[in-house]
Amino acid sequence: MPEPALNAFDPARDHSHTATLKRLEKSSGRLAAAAIARMDAQLPWYRAMPPENRSWIGLVAQAGIAAFTEWFRHPETPQAISTDVFGTAPRELTRAISLRQTVEMVRTTIEVMESAIDEVAAPGDESVLREALLVYAREIAFATAQVYAQAAEARGAWDARLESLVVNAVLSGEADEGVLSRAAALGWSSPDKIAVVLGTAPNGDSELTVEAIRRAARHAKLQVLTGVLGDRLIVVAGGDGDPLRVAKALIGPFAAGPVVAGPLVGDLLAASKSAQAAAAGLRACAAWPDAPRPVLADDLLPERAMAGDRHARDQLVEEIYRPLEEAGSALLETLSVYLEQASSLEGAARMLFVHPNTVRYRLRRVTDVTGWSPSDVRSAFTLRIALILGRLSESGHTP
């Protein structure tokens, strides 16, 4: 096997290019200044930066050239290049300067060093220095990627914790102005149509589940704040005025079982109301085995009321019983007879001593007033529970 050329750059053997090393050490300040001057001439983003950040970039360039000199002296010794070069700058610099800009900065510095090889290298060492610079450029590229990967990982972990705090505050009813600030830091732009969707989280990595929700949200053009709390998957979704459509768009990542969408609210502070309704609906879903998936929390009002949800009871009384009461006793009486005794138009008409068309008209009025149709089995059940709760409220014996 042929012996390598004497001037070849070989990290496995001792380095003895003393003259070149001395020239590198003497030229490091001048090379750093030349790199900064070229950045100022060629990189508009560098010229636009505040002086403090430009000074940090200058220190990074100087550290990069100094690290190359040391690495050239001992190429066989592993060097923590990311620490040597980027350790001079504060961590905040990775937020002020993008990865693309850092690559441009490194490329400019390497180009300046490469253009000075013939001047810096001792006679006969030009090819050695050039090859060493090529190897170092590869190492500094890896170091750059590592620095930004670590920064992105740290930001991702922090964002995940922040998002979890926001989602937990919404679910627990503790949302306040601080939650708005945290959500804004996560990119939440305060949509005026928000619904909370709850269901069972799938087994496995919760981060994969959260990412799947985000992909579904991007496809549906929704903003989301999401998280897995225990065995529950919670999604605070904004941007669509139909909670059921929102739930259908995001249902894919949920595990088997009921998925409940809370009512629409106007801001993140009110999202706790939607979350609590969805949570109550999720608990009550066992009482309606044939419930659609997903289902609205308001469609589970009877089951929620019977399970002890006072908000559901109040909602049934205020949104069904009270409007019927205000519309006149005839509607309440007709609805009561139709639901609880006759189960038919003709039977109700006979018991009320009116024409069947009168009963039909009154039942249509019930639908207009409440939004629930007595002729629909499910709606009839809801109306009947509302009547029971309304009467109990009137008697002062509300459970």
Side-chain angles (χ1 to χ4, degrees):
M1 185 173 180
E3 292 292 328
L6 292 179
N7 64 344
F9 179 71
D10 185 1
R13 62 183 176 82
D14 292 337
H15 204 287
S16 59
H17 303 285
T18 307
T20 299
L21 274 170
K22 289 182 177 179
R23 290 189 177 199
L24 268 175
E25 291 170 350
K26 290 180 179 180
S27 303
S28 60
R30 179 174 56 80
L31 291 174
I36 294 299
R38 183 173 293 192
M39 289 182 209
D40 190 61
Q42 296 182 354
L43 304 178
W45 58 264
Y46 174 79
R47 293 193 299 272
M49 296 191 77
E52 182 181 8
N53 286 345
R54 288 202 301 272
S55 67
W56 283 120
I57 290 176
L59 288 177
V60 170
Q62 291 176 19
I65 295 171
F68 171 69
T69 302
E70 187 61 27
W71 184 77
F72 187 73
R73 177 180 287 111
H74 300 293
E76 74 286 350
T77 305
Q79 299 289 325
I81 293 179
S82 61
T83 302
D84 293 344
V85 177
F86 297 102
T88 59
R91 184 176 300 177
E92 292 76 10
L93 193 63
T94 58
R95 295 193 177 191
I97 304 175
S98 68
L99 176 58
R100 178 186 61 81
Q101 291 170 338
T102 303
V103 169
E104 291 179 349
M105 176 187 71
V106 170
R107 180 188 292 120
T108 302
T109 304
I110 294 295
E111 287 174 352
V112 167
M113 294 174 68
E114 191 174 18
S115 66
I117 284 177
D118 293 338
E119 178 184 347
V120 172
D125 274 357
E126 292 85 357
S127 61
V128 175
L129 189 59
R130 183 172 288 105
E131 185 177 350
L133 187 59
L134 288 174
V135 176
Y136 181 76
R138 181 194 66 189
E139 296 300 321
I140 200 69
F142 285 136
T144 302
Q146 182 182 13
V147 167
Y148 275 84
Q150 289 173 342
E153 186 176 355
R155 283 197 299 271
W158 171 250
D159 287 350
R161 289 193 293 271
L162 199 61
E163 188 169 11
S164 180
L165 288 173
V166 172
V167 170
N168 186 62
V170 169
L171 189 62
S172 62
E174 299 175 355
D176 54 17
E177 294 296 330
V179 168
L180 294 181
S181 299
R182 296 187 188 100
L186 293 167
W188 181 262
S189 64
S190 300
D192 58 1
K193 297 175 182 177
I194 300 171
V196 178
V197 182
L198 263 68
T200 303
N203 295 327
D205 192 341
S206 60
E207 292 184 7
L208 296 178
T209 301
V210 167
E211 185 55 37
I213 288 288
R214 291 195 180 115
R215 285 197 302 269
R218 285 194 295 269
H219 181 73
K221 295 180 173 57
L222 296 170
Q223 291 188 60
V224 293
L225 297 168
T226 184
V228 176
L229 301 180
D231 62 347
R232 286 185 180 180
L233 174 56
I234 303 100
V235 184
V236 182
D240 195 309
D242 185 346
L244 193 60
R245 187 163 57 237
V246 168
K248 288 179 178 179
L250 303 176
I251 200 171
F254 284 87
V259 175
V260 182
L264 205 65
V265 294
D267 57 51
L268 196 58
L269 294 179
S272 292
K273 176 183 177 182
S274 181
Q276 289 166 3
L282 196 62
R283 290 191 295 269
C285 259
W288 187 12
D290 296 327
R293 185 178 187 269
V295 62
L296 292 175
D298 283 355
D299 287 345
L300 288 156
L301 283 173
E303 288 79 9
R304 288 168 52 195
M306 296 176 72
D309 182 0
R310 183 166 296 279
H311 292 293
R313 293 174 179 171
D314 293 342
Q315 190 172 342
L316 285 169
V317 172
E318 295 302 322
E319 294 184 3
I320 295 178
Y321 187 82
R322 297 296 180 209
L324 288 174
E325 188 179 44
E326 293 171 2
S329 59
L331 291 189
L332 273 177
E333 182 184 17
T334 301
L335 179 63
S336 177
V337 170
Y338 177 79
L339 293 177
E340 300 172 7
Q341 299 182 41
S343 300
S344 71
L345 288 172
E346 290 76 12
R350 286 194 299 270
M351 296 188 71
L352 293 168
F353 302 103
V354 296
H355 194 276
N357 284 342
T358 302
V359 176
R360 185 177 289 108
Y361 168 76
R362 290 177 181 175
L363 294 181
R364 282 200 301 267
R365 287 278 298 130
V366 169
T367 303
D368 293 339
V369 170
T370 66
W372 301 86
S373 172
S375 61
D376 176 77
V377 175
R378 178 68 193 175
S379 295
F381 173 62
T382 302
L383 289 167
R384 189 166 185 175
I385 297 298
L387 289 181
I388 294 171
L389 292 172
R391 290 169 186 153
L392 288 171
S393 177
E394 289 291 322
S395 67
H397 292 89
T398 301

